[in-house]
Amino acid sequence: MDISGLRVAYEGHTPTLMGEQGGSAVLVPLVRQNGEYCLLYEIRSAAVRQPGEVCFPGGKREPGETAIQCALRETREELGIPESAVTVIGEMDFLYIRAGSLLRPVLGEVDPAAVAAMRPAPEEVADTFLLPLRELRAHPPEVYAYQQPVAIPDFPYADAGVAADYPWRPCRIEVPVYRGLPHPLWGITARITMDVVDKL
């Protein structure tokens, strides 16, 4: 049996999510404002999915696009901040957000002049705001957990050689919630925020 296809597939391979169906990336924008570092957030417009929620600029990666390229492109499209105004610090740990999809956050420092001159796209962004890292560190989030039950009614137990009462393990998901901020900050955006603050 010829294994040359395996060599082509795996030699020098950069691991990603097995069976990935698509992915997305966000820029996590650091901005120096009034002598301290802040994170820049968006509020989604009423015209997009999850309207009114707080997020970072980002979206789906296009074919052949890296996470950094995607994050910078989406930031330009959503906020009018050019790629040249962002100094990429590095890629953060990715998040598994649903079946077959990874979210790749990219940490970058944004020129304050570009933030002052940004022009958010109204069809995507209702508003923007800055939160100082100092304030986020002083008020850590509360973390809540929920479980997603497993339901596979047509699973071929006999063919798999397992009993019909197989003890499937439900998925446990943690959801952080920051309280007392000007806008609600929770979920994936809060998890990314926590990761930045934890590494200060």
Side-chain angles (χ1 to χ4, degrees), residues 93-110:
D93 292 336
F94 56 74
L95 295 94
Y96 177 75
I97 55 174
R98 62 182 169 275
S101 185
L102 294 179
L103 172 63
R104 299 177 185 271
V106 176
L107 186 65
E109 185 170 356
V110 182

Side-chain angles (χ1 to χ4, degrees), residues 121-195:
E123 65 276 9
E124 294 192 68
V125 182
D127 202 0
T128 63
F129 64 97
L130 293 165
L131 284 177
L133 292 176
R134 169 189 45 79
E135 184 176 344
L136 290 163
R137 185 163 59 177
H139 300 93
E142 297 171 9
V143 179
Y144 299 86
Y146 71 94
Q147 290 189 332
Q148 289 189 330
V150 177
I152 316 176
D154 57 348
F155 187 79
Y157 290 93
D159 292 339
V162 297
D165 62 350
Y166 183 81
W168 296 101
R169 294 182 65 184
C171 177
R172 183 177 185 275
I173 299 174
E174 292 187 343
V175 183
V177 178
Y178 282 87
R179 295 177 180 266
L181 298 177
H183 301 280
L185 178 56
W186 69 284
I188 290 172
T189 303
R191 285 184 65 191
I192 297 170
T193 299
M194 280 176 61
D195 193 66

Side-chain angles (χ1 to χ4, degrees), residues 8-165:
V8 170
Y10 289 107
E11 287 180 353
H13 173 68
T14 301
T16 185
L17 178 66
M18 191 177 291
E20 186 173 4
Q21 301 293 317
S24 54
V26 296
L27 182 71
V28 183
L30 277 172
V31 183
R32 191 161 176 80
Q33 191 86 349
N34 300 322
E36 64 178 338
Y37 279 102
C38 304
L39 287 175
L40 173 64
Y41 297 90
E42 296 178 356
I43 300 175
R44 297 177 190 266
S45 79
V48 298
R49 188 175 58 87
Q50 299 167 313
E53 288 192 8
V54 172
C55 65
F56 291 116
K60 289 183 180 179
R61 284 189 296 142
E62 295 179 351
E65 192 174 48
T66 68
I68 291 172
Q69 290 168 337
C70 174
L72 294 176
R73 174 183 55 76
E74 289 282 348
T75 300
R76 175 177 41 78
E77 292 174 0
E78 294 176 18
L79 298 178
I81 295 175
E83 288 90 336
S84 59
V86 182
T87 301
V88 173
I89 295 171
E91 292 189 58
M92 299 171 61
D93 292 336
F94 56 74
L95 295 94
Y96 177 75
I97 55 174
R98 62 182 169 275
S101 185
L102 294 179
L103 172 63
R104 299 177 185 271
V106 176
L107 186 65
E109 185 170 356
V110 182
D111 183 343
V115 173
M118 69 181 170
R119 296 290 178 264
E123 65 276 9
E124 294 192 68
V125 182
D127 202 0
T128 63
F129 64 97
L130 293 165
L131 284 177
L133 292 176
R134 169 189 45 79
E135 184 176 344
L136 290 163
R137 185 163 59 177
H139 300 93
E142 297 171 9
V143 179
Y144 299 86
Y146 71 94
Q147 290 189 332
Q148 289 189 330
V150 177
I152 316 176
D154 57 348
F155 187 79
Y157 290 93
D159 292 339
V162 297
D165 62 350

